[in-house]
Coordinates of all heavy atoms in Angstrom, one line a residue:
M856 N 23.2 -4.9 8.3 CA 21.8 -4.7 7.9 C 20.8 -5.4 8.7 O 19.7 -5.6 8.3 CB 21.7 -5.1 6.4 CG 22.4 -4.3 5.4 SD 21.5 -2.8 5.2 CE 22.3 -2.2 3.8
G857 N 21.2 -5.9 9.9 CA 20.3 -6.6 10.7 C 19.1 -5.8 11.2 O 18.1 -6.3 11.6
G858 N 19.2 -4.5 11.2 CA 18.2 -3.6 11.8 C 17.3 -3.0 10.7 O 16.5 -2.1 11.1
K859 N 17.3 -3.4 9.5 CA 16.5 -2.8 8.4 C 15.0 -2.9 8.6 O 14.2 -2.1 8.2 CB 16.9 -3.2 7.1 CG 16.6 -4.7 6.8 CD 17.0 -5.0 5.4 CE 16.7 -6.5 5.1 NZ 17.1 -6.9 3.8
G860 N 14.6 -4.0 9.3 CA 13.2 -4.2 9.5 C 12.6 -3.4 10.7 O 11.4 -3.3 10.9
V861 N 13.5 -2.8 11.5 CA 13.0 -2.0 12.6 C 12.2 -0.8 12.2 O 11.1 -0.6 12.8 CB 14.3 -1.5 13.5 CG1 13.8 -0.6 14.5 CG2 15.0 -2.7 14.1
V862 N 12.6 -0.2 11.1 CA 11.8 1.0 10.7 C 10.4 0.6 10.2 O 9.4 1.2 10.5 CB 12.6 1.7 9.5 CG1 11.7 2.8 8.9 CG2 13.9 2.2 10.0
L863 N 10.3 -0.5 9.5 CA 9.0 -1.0 9.0 C 8.1 -1.4 10.2 O 6.9 -1.2 10.1 CB 9.2 -2.1 8.0 CG 9.8 -1.8 6.7 CD1 9.9 -3.0 5.8 CD2 9.0 -0.7 6.0
R864 N 8.7 -2.0 11.2 CA 7.8 -2.5 12.3 C 7.1 -1.3 13.0 O 6.0 -1.5 13.6 CB 8.7 -3.2 13.3 CG 8.8 -4.7 12.9 CD 9.5 -5.5 14.0 NE 10.8 -5.8 13.5 CZ 11.9 -5.8 14.2 NH1 11.9 -5.5 15.5 NH2 13.0 -6.1 13.7
H865 N 7.7 -0.1 13.0 CA 7.1 1.0 13.8 C 6.4 2.0 12.9 O 5.9 3.0 13.4 CB 8.2 1.7 14.6 CG 8.8 0.8 15.6 ND1 8.1 0.4 16.7 CD2 10.0 0.2 15.6 CE1 8.9 -0.4 17.4 NE2 10.1 -0.6 16.8
L866 N 6.4 1.7 11.6 CA 5.7 2.6 10.6 C 4.2 2.6 10.9 O 3.6 1.6 10.9 CB 6.1 2.2 9.2 CG 5.7 3.1 8.1 CD1 6.5 4.4 8.2 CD2 6.0 2.4 6.8
R867 N 3.6 3.8 11.0 CA 2.2 4.0 11.3 C 1.4 4.5 10.1 O 0.2 4.3 10.0 CB 2.0 4.8 12.5 CG 2.5 4.1 13.8 CD 2.1 5.0 15.0 NE 2.6 4.4 16.2 CZ 2.0 3.5 16.9 NH1 0.8 3.1 16.6 NH2 2.6 3.0 18.0
A868 N 2.0 5.4 9.3 CA 1.3 6.0 8.2 C 2.2 6.0 6.9 O 3.4 6.3 7.1 CB 0.9 7.4 8.5
V869 N 1.7 5.8 5.8 CA 2.4 5.8 4.5 C 1.5 6.6 3.5 O 0.3 6.3 3.4 CB 2.6 4.4 4.0 CG1 3.3 4.4 2.6 CG2 3.5 3.6 5.0
R870 N 2.2 7.4 2.7 CA 1.5 8.1 1.6 C 2.4 7.8 0.4 O 3.5 8.2 0.3 CB 1.4 9.6 1.9 CG 0.7 10.3 0.7 CD 0.4 11.7 1.1 NE -0.2 12.5 0.0 CZ -1.5 12.5 -0.3 NH1 -2.3 11.8 0.5 NH2 -1.9 13.2 -1.3
M871 N 1.8 7.2 -0.6 CA 2.5 6.9 -1.9 C 1.8 7.6 -3.0 O 0.6 7.5 -3.2 CB 2.5 5.4 -2.1 CG 3.3 4.6 -1.0 SD 3.4 2.9 -1.4 CE 1.8 2.4 -1.0
V872 N 2.6 8.4 -3.7 CA 2.1 9.2 -4.8 C 2.5 8.7 -6.1 O 3.7 8.3 -6.3 CB 2.5 10.7 -4.6 CG1 2.0 11.6 -5.7 CG2 2.1 11.2 -3.3
Y873 N 1.6 8.6 -7.1 CA 1.8 8.1 -8.5 C 2.3 6.7 -8.5 O 3.3 6.4 -9.2 CB 2.7 9.1 -9.2 CG 2.2 10.5 -9.2 CD1 3.0 11.6 -8.7 CD2 0.9 10.8 -9.7 CE1 2.4 12.9 -8.7 CE2 0.4 12.1 -9.6 CZ 1.2 13.1 -9.2 OH 0.7 14.4 -9.1
I874 N 1.7 5.8 -7.8 CA 2.0 4.4 -7.8 C 1.1 3.8 -8.9 O 0.0 4.1 -9.1 CB 1.7 3.7 -6.5 CG1 2.5 4.3 -5.3 CG2 1.8 2.2 -6.5 CD1 4.0 4.1 -5.5
D875 N 1.7 2.9 -9.7 CA 1.0 2.3 -10.8 C 0.9 0.8 -10.6 O 1.5 0.2 -9.6 CB 1.5 2.6 -12.1 CG 3.0 2.2 -12.3 OD1 3.5 1.4 -11.5 OD2 3.6 2.6 -13.3
E876 N 0.3 0.1 -11.5 CA 0.1 -1.3 -11.4 C 1.3 -2.2 -11.9 O 1.2 -3.4 -12.0 CB -1.2 -1.7 -12.1 CG -1.7 -3.1 -11.8 CD -3.0 -3.5 -12.5 OE1 -3.5 -2.7 -13.3 OE2 -3.5 -4.6 -12.2
S877 N 2.3 -1.5 -12.2 CA 3.5 -2.2 -12.7 C 4.0 -3.2 -11.6 O 3.6 -3.0 -10.4 CB 4.7 -1.3 -13.0 OG 5.1 -0.6 -11.8
K878 N 4.8 -4.1 -11.9 CA 5.3 -5.1 -10.9 C 5.9 -4.4 -9.8 O 5.7 -4.8 -8.6 CB 6.2 -6.1 -11.6 CG 6.7 -7.1 -10.6 CD 7.5 -8.2 -11.4 CE 8.1 -9.3 -10.5 NZ 7.7 -9.4 -9.2
S879 N 6.8 -3.4 -10.0 CA 7.5 -2.8 -8.9 C 6.5 -2.0 -8.0 O 6.7 -1.9 -6.8 CB 8.6 -1.8 -9.5 OG 8.0 -0.8 -10.3
G880 N 5.5 -1.3 -8.6 CA 4.5 -0.6 -7.8 C 3.7 -1.5 -6.9 O 3.6 -1.2 -5.7
L881 N 3.2 -2.6 -7.4 CA 2.5 -3.5 -6.6 C 3.3 -4.2 -5.6 O 2.9 -4.5 -4.5 CB 1.8 -4.5 -7.6 CG 0.7 -5.4 -6.9 CD1 -0.4 -4.5 -6.4 CD2 0.1 -6.3 -8.0
D882 N 4.6 -4.6 -6.0 CA 5.5 -5.2 -5.0 C 5.8 -4.3 -3.8 O 5.9 -4.8 -2.7 CB 6.8 -5.6 -5.7 CG 6.6 -6.9 -6.6 OD1 5.6 -7.6 -6.4 OD2 7.5 -7.2 -7.4
L883 N 5.9 -3.0 -4.1 CA 6.2 -2.1 -3.0 C 5.0 -2.1 -2.0 O 5.2 -2.1 -0.8 CB 6.4 -0.7 -3.5 CG 6.6 0.4 -2.5 CD1 7.8 0.1 -1.6 CD2 6.8 1.8 -3.1
V884 N 3.8 -2.0 -2.6 CA 2.6 -2.0 -1.7 C 2.5 -3.3 -0.9 O 2.3 -3.3 0.3 CB 1.3 -1.8 -2.6 CG1 0.1 -2.0 -1.7 CG2 1.3 -0.4 -3.2
K885 N 2.8 -4.4 -1.6 CA 2.8 -5.8 -0.9 C 3.8 -5.8 0.2 O 3.5 -6.2 1.3 CB 3.2 -6.9 -1.9 CG 2.0 -7.4 -2.7 CD 2.6 -8.5 -3.6 CE 1.7 -8.9 -4.7 NZ 2.2 -10.0 -5.5
L886 N 5.0 -5.3 0.0 CA 6.1 -5.3 1.0 C 5.7 -4.5 2.2 O 5.8 -4.9 3.3 CB 7.4 -4.7 0.4 CG 8.5 -4.5 1.3 CD1 9.3 -5.8 1.4 CD2 9.4 -3.4 0.9
L887 N 5.1 -3.3 2.0 CA 4.7 -2.5 3.1 C 3.6 -3.1 3.9 O 3.6 -3.1 5.1 CB 4.4 -1.1 2.6 CG 5.5 -0.2 2.1 CD1 5.1 1.0 1.4 CD2 6.5 0.1 3.2
L888 N 2.6 -3.6 3.2 CA 1.5 -4.2 3.9 C 1.9 -5.4 4.7 O 1.4 -5.7 5.8 CB 0.3 -4.5 3.0 CG -0.4 -3.3 2.4 CD1 -1.5 -3.8 1.4 CD2 -1.1 -2.6 3.5
K889 N 2.8 -6.2 4.2 CA 3.2 -7.5 4.8 C 4.1 -7.2 6.0 O 4.1 -8.0 6.9 CB 3.9 -8.3 3.7 CG 4.3 -9.7 4.2 CD 5.0 -10.4 3.1 CE 5.5 -11.7 3.6 NZ 6.3 -12.4 2.5
N890 N 4.9 -6.2 6.0 CA 5.9 -6.0 7.0 C 5.7 -4.8 7.9 O 6.7 -4.3 8.5 CB 7.3 -5.8 6.3 CG 7.6 -7.1 5.5 OD1 7.8 -8.1 6.1 ND2 7.8 -7.0 4.2
T891 N 4.5 -4.3 8.0 CA 4.2 -3.1 8.9 C 3.1 -3.5 9.9 O 2.0 -3.1 9.6 CB 3.9 -1.9 8.1 OG1 2.9 -2.2 7.2 CG2 5.1 -1.4 7.3
P892 N 3.4 -4.2 11.0 CA 2.3 -4.6 11.9 C 1.7 -3.4 12.6 O 0.6 -3.6 13.2 CB 3.0 -5.5 12.8 CG 4.5 -5.1 12.8 CD 4.7 -4.7 11.3
M893 N 2.3 -2.2 12.7 CA 1.7 -1.1 13.4 C 1.0 -0.1 12.4 O 0.5 0.9 12.9 CB 2.9 -0.3 14.1 CG 3.7 -1.2 15.1 SD 2.9 -1.5 16.6 CE 2.9 0.1 17.3
L894 N 1.0 -0.5 11.2 CA 0.4 0.4 10.2 C -1.1 0.8 10.5 O -1.9 -0.1 10.7 CB 0.5 -0.2 8.8 CG 0.1 0.7 7.6 CD1 1.1 1.9 7.5 CD2 0.0 -0.1 6.3
E895 N -1.4 2.1 10.5 CA -2.7 2.5 10.7 C -3.4 3.1 9.4 O -4.6 2.9 9.2 CB -2.8 3.6 11.8 CG -2.3 3.1 13.2 CD -2.1 4.2 14.2 OE1 -2.3 5.3 13.8 OE2 -1.8 3.8 15.3
M896 N -2.6 3.8 8.6 CA -3.1 4.4 7.4 C -2.2 4.3 6.2 O -1.0 4.6 6.4 CB -3.4 5.9 7.7 CG -3.8 6.7 6.5 SD -5.5 6.3 5.9 CE -6.5 6.8 7.3
M897 N -2.7 3.9 5.1 CA -1.9 3.9 3.9 C -2.8 4.6 2.9 O -3.9 4.3 2.6 CB -1.6 2.5 3.3 CG -0.9 2.5 2.0 SD -0.6 0.8 1.4 CE 0.9 0.4 2.2
T898 N -2.2 5.7 2.3 CA -2.9 6.5 1.3 C -2.1 6.3 0.0 O -0.9 6.5 -0.1 CB -2.9 8.0 1.7 OG1 -3.5 8.1 3.0 CG2 -3.7 8.8 0.7
I899 N -2.8 6.0 -1.0 CA -2.3 5.7 -2.3 C -2.9 6.7 -3.4 O -4.1 6.8 -3.5 CB -2.5 4.3 -2.8 CG1 -1.9 3.3 -1.8 CG2 -2.0 4.1 -4.2 CD1 -2.2 1.8 -2.1
V900 N -2.0 7.4 -4.1 CA -2.4 8.3 -5.2 C -2.0 7.6 -6.4 O -0.8 7.7 -6.8 CB -1.8 9.7 -5.1 CG1 -2.3 10.5 -6.2 CG2 -2.2 10.3 -3.7
P901 N -2.9 6.8 -7.1 CA -2.5 6.1 -8.3 C -2.1 7.0 -9.5 O -2.6 8.1 -9.6 CB -3.7 5.3 -8.7 CG -4.6 5.3 -7.5 CD -4.3 6.6 -6.8
S902 N -1.3 6.5 -10.4 CA -0.9 7.3 -11.5 C -1.8 7.1 -12.7 O -1.7 7.8 -13.7 CB 0.5 7.0 -11.9 OG 0.6 5.6 -12.3
M903 N -2.8 6.1 -12.6 CA -3.6 5.8 -13.8 C -5.1 6.3 -13.5 O -5.4 6.7 -12.3 CB -3.6 4.3 -14.1 CG -4.3 3.4 -13.1 SD -3.6 3.2 -11.5 CE -2.3 2.1 -11.8
D904 N -5.9 6.3 -14.5 CA -7.3 6.7 -14.3 C -8.2 5.6 -14.7 O -7.9 4.6 -15.3 CB -7.6 7.9 -15.3 CG -6.8 9.2 -14.8 OD1 -6.6 9.3 -13.6 OD2 -6.5 10.0 -15.7
G905 N -9.5 5.8 -14.3 CA -10.6 5.0 -14.8 C -10.5 3.5 -14.4 O -10.3 3.1 -13.3
L906 N -10.6 2.7 -15.5 CA -10.7 1.2 -15.3 C -9.4 0.7 -14.7 O -9.4 -0.2 -13.9 CB -11.0 0.6 -16.7 CG -11.2 -0.9 -16.7 CD1 -12.3 -1.3 -15.8 CD2 -11.4 -1.4 -18.1
E907 N -8.2 1.2 -15.2 CA -7.0 0.7 -14.6 C -6.9 0.9 -13.1 O -6.4 0.1 -12.4 CB -5.8 1.3 -15.4 CG -5.7 0.9 -16.8 CD -5.5 -0.6 -17.0 OE1 -4.7 -1.2 -16.2 OE2 -6.2 -1.2 -17.9
Q908 N -7.3 2.1 -12.7 CA -7.3 2.4 -11.3 C -8.2 1.5 -10.5 O -7.8 1.1 -9.4 CB -7.7 3.9 -11.1 CG -7.6 4.3 -9.6 CD -7.9 5.8 -9.5 OE1 -8.1 6.5 -10.4 NE2 -8.1 6.2 -8.2
A909 N -9.4 1.2 -11.0 CA -10.3 0.3 -10.3 C -9.7 -1.1 -10.2 O -9.8 -1.7 -9.2 CB -11.6 0.2 -11.1
K910 N -9.0 -1.6 -11.3 CA -8.4 -2.9 -11.2 C -7.3 -2.9 -10.1 O -7.1 -3.8 -9.3 CB -7.8 -3.3 -12.5 CG -8.7 -3.8 -13.6 CD -8.0 -4.4 -14.7 CE -8.4 -3.8 -16.0 NZ -7.6 -4.2 -17.2
F911 N -6.5 -1.9 -10.1 CA -5.4 -1.7 -9.2 C -5.9 -1.7 -7.7 O -5.4 -2.4 -6.8 CB -4.6 -0.5 -9.5 CG -3.4 -0.3 -8.5 CD1 -2.3 -1.1 -8.5 CD2 -3.4 0.8 -7.7 CE1 -1.2 -0.9 -7.7 CE2 -2.3 1.1 -6.8 CZ -1.3 0.2 -6.8
R912 N -7.0 -0.9 -7.5 CA -7.6 -0.8 -6.2 C -8.1 -2.2 -5.7 O -7.9 -2.6 -4.6 CB -8.8 0.1 -6.3 CG -9.5 0.3 -5.0 CD -10.6 1.3 -5.1 NE -10.2 2.5 -5.7 CZ -10.7 3.7 -5.5 NH1 -11.8 3.8 -4.8 NH2 -10.2 4.8 -6.1
R913 N -8.7 -3.0 -6.6 CA -9.2 -4.3 -6.2 C -8.0 -5.2 -5.8 O -8.1 -6.0 -4.9 CB -10.0 -4.9 -7.3 CG -11.4 -4.4 -7.4 CD -12.3 -5.3 -8.3 NE -11.8 -5.3 -9.7 CZ -12.1 -4.4 -10.6 NH1 -12.9 -3.4 -10.4 NH2 -11.7 -4.6 -11.9
R914 N -7.0 -5.2 -6.6 CA -5.8 -6.0 -6.3 C -5.2 -5.6 -5.0 O -4.8 -6.5 -4.2 CB -4.8 -5.9 -7.4 CG -5.2 -6.6 -8.7 CD -4.2 -6.5 -9.7 NE -3.1 -7.5 -9.4 CZ -2.0 -7.6 -10.1 NH1 -1.8 -6.9 -11.2 NH2 -1.1 -8.5 -9.7
V915 N -5.1 -4.3 -4.7 CA -4.5 -3.9 -3.4 C -5.3 -4.3 -2.2 O -4.8 -4.8 -1.2 CB -4.2 -2.4 -3.4 CG1 -3.9 -1.9 -2.1 CG2 -3.1 -2.0 -4.4
L916 N -6.6 -4.1 -2.4 CA -7.5 -4.4 -1.2 C -7.6 -5.9 -0.9 O -8.0 -6.3 0.2 CB -8.9 -3.9 -1.5 CG -9.0 -2.3 -1.5 CD1 -10.4 -1.9 -1.9 CD2 -8.5 -1.7 -0.2
K917 N -7.2 -6.8 -1.9 CA -7.1 -8.2 -1.6 C -5.9 -8.7 -0.9 O -5.8 -9.8 -0.5 CB -7.3 -9.0 -2.9 CG -8.7 -8.9 -3.5 CD -8.7 -9.7 -4.8 CE -10.1 -9.6 -5.5 NZ -10.2 -10.3 -6.7
L918 N -4.8 -7.8 -0.9 CA -3.6 -8.2 -0.3 C -3.7 -8.4 1.2 O -4.4 -7.8 1.9 CB -2.5 -7.1 -0.6 CG -2.1 -6.9 -2.0 CD1 -1.2 -5.7 -2.2 CD2 -1.5 -8.1 -2.6
R919 N -2.8 -9.3 1.7 CA -2.8 -9.7 3.1 C -2.1 -8.5 3.8 O -1.0 -8.0 3.4 CB -2.1 -11.0 3.3 CG -1.8 -11.3 4.8 CD -1.3 -12.7 4.9 NE -2.5 -13.6 4.7 CZ -2.5 -14.9 4.8 NH1 -1.4 -15.5 5.1 NH2 -3.6 -15.6 4.6
K920 N -2.6 -8.2 5.0 CA -2.0 -7.1 5.8 C -1.5 -7.6 7.1 O -2.1 -8.5 7.7 CB -3.0 -6.0 6.1 CG -3.6 -5.4 4.9 CD -4.6 -4.3 5.2 CE -6.0 -5.0 5.4 NZ -7.1 -4.0 5.7
A921 N -0.3 -7.1 7.6 CA 0.2 -7.5 8.9 C -0.5 -6.8 10.0 O -0.6 -7.4 11.1 CB 1.7 -7.1 8.9
S922 N -1.1 -5.7 9.7 CA -1.9 -5.0 10.7 C -3.4 -5.1 10.5 O -3.9 -4.7 9.4 CB -1.5 -3.5 10.7 OG -2.4 -2.7 11.5
R923 N -4.1 -5.6 11.4 CA -5.6 -5.7 11.3 C -6.2 -4.3 11.2 O -7.3 -4.1 10.7 CB -6.2 -6.4 12.5 CG -5.8 -7.9 12.4 CD -6.6 -8.6 13.5 NE -5.7 -9.5 14.1 CZ -5.8 -9.9 15.4 NH1 -6.8 -9.6 16.1 NH2 -4.9 -10.8 15.9
D924 N -5.6 -3.3 11.8 CA -6.1 -2.0 11.9 C -5.8 -1.1 10.7 O -6.2 0.1 10.6 CB -5.6 -1.3 13.2 CG -6.1 -2.0 14.4 OD1 -7.1 -2.6 14.4 OD2 -5.3 -2.0 15.4
A925 N -5.0 -1.6 9.7 CA -4.6 -0.8 8.6 C -5.8 -0.4 7.7 O -6.6 -1.2 7.3 CB -3.6 -1.6 7.8
D926 N -5.9 0.9 7.5 CA -6.9 1.5 6.6 C -6.2 1.9 5.3 O -5.3 2.7 5.3 CB -7.6 2.7 7.3 CG -8.7 3.2 6.5 OD1 -9.3 2.5 5.7 OD2 -9.0 4.4 6.7
I927 N -6.7 1.4 4.2 CA -6.1 1.8 2.9 C -7.1 2.7 2.2 O -8.2 2.3 2.0 CB -5.8 0.5 2.0 CG1 -4.9 -0.5 2.8 CG2 -5.2 0.9 0.7 CD1 -4.8 -1.8 2.1
Q928 N -6.6 3.9 1.8 CA -7.4 4.9 1.1 C -6.7 5.2 -0.2 O -5.5 5.2 -0.3 CB -7.5 6.1 2.0 CG -8.3 5.9 3.2 CD -8.5 7.2 3.9 OE1 -8.0 8.3 3.6 NE2 -9.3 7.2 5.0
F929 N -7.6 5.5 -1.2 CA -7.1 5.9 -2.5 C -7.6 7.3 -2.7 O -8.7 7.7 -2.4 CB -7.7 5.0 -3.6 CG -7.2 3.6 -3.5 CD1 -7.7 2.7 -2.7 CD2 -6.1 3.2 -4.3 CE1 -7.2 1.4 -2.6 CE2 -5.6 2.0 -4.2 CZ -6.1 1.0 -3.4
S930 N -6.6 8.2 -3.2 CA -6.9 9.6 -3.4 C -6.7 9.9 -4.8 O -5.8 9.4 -5.5 CB -6.0 10.4 -2.4 OG -6.2 11.8 -2.7
A931 N -7.4 10.9 -5.3 CA -7.3 11.3 -6.7 C -6.2 12.4 -6.9 O -5.8 12.7 -8.0 CB -8.6 11.8 -7.3
T932 N -5.9 13.1 -5.8 CA -4.9 14.2 -5.9 C -3.7 13.9 -5.1 O -3.6 13.2 -4.1 CB -5.5 15.5 -5.3 OG1 -5.9 15.2 -3.9 CG2 -6.8 15.9 -6.0
G933 N -2.6 14.4 -5.7 CA -1.2 14.1 -5.1 C -0.9 15.2 -4.2 O -0.2 15.2 -3.3

């Protein structure tokens, strides 16, 4: 399993559909942002609406990113 990080290092775009603010959803976003130095675009389609989505968006945008060029977008449609 020594090469498992190789895939993440070269990942340039991610689209996640129906991600929520649960611990596992937020942990997945953290993992990807922290370990993808080549990431250019992350698109997230949240599973919640309204206020919960706004809270989730604020939490995600505060996370540390390995790539300075990473653009995080939120979409309403899957």
Side-chain angles (χ1 to χ4, degrees):
M856 290 285 194
K859 68 181 179 180
V861 172
V862 174
L863 290 179
R864 274 188 252 142
H865 298 289
L866 191 64
R867 292 186 185 268
V869 175
R870 180 173 177 85
M871 295 184 287
V872 181
Y873 304 124
I874 298 295
D875 62 9
E876 196 177 2
S877 69
K878 182 170 174 17
S879 61
L881 194 57
D882 284 347
L883 176 61
V884 173
K885 279 184 195 178
L886 175 87
L887 289 171
L888 288 175
K889 183 179 174 184
N890 295 299
T891 51
M893 304 282 291
L894 187 67
E895 295 172 358
M896 175 67 69
M897 176 181 278
T898 304
I899 300 173
V900 181
S902 64
M903 73 287 285
D904 291 328
L906 184 60
E907 292 301 316
Q908 183 177 350
K910 282 192 232 176
F911 180 67
R912 182 181 303 207
R913 281 193 300 273
R914 289 184 73 184
V915 169
L916 293 175
K917 288 180 183 178
L918 295 174
R919 176 171 282 186
K920 299 180 274 186
S922 171
R923 289 186 225 155
D924 299 328
D926 183 25
I927 302 171
Q928 294 185 353
F929 292 84
S930 176
T932 59

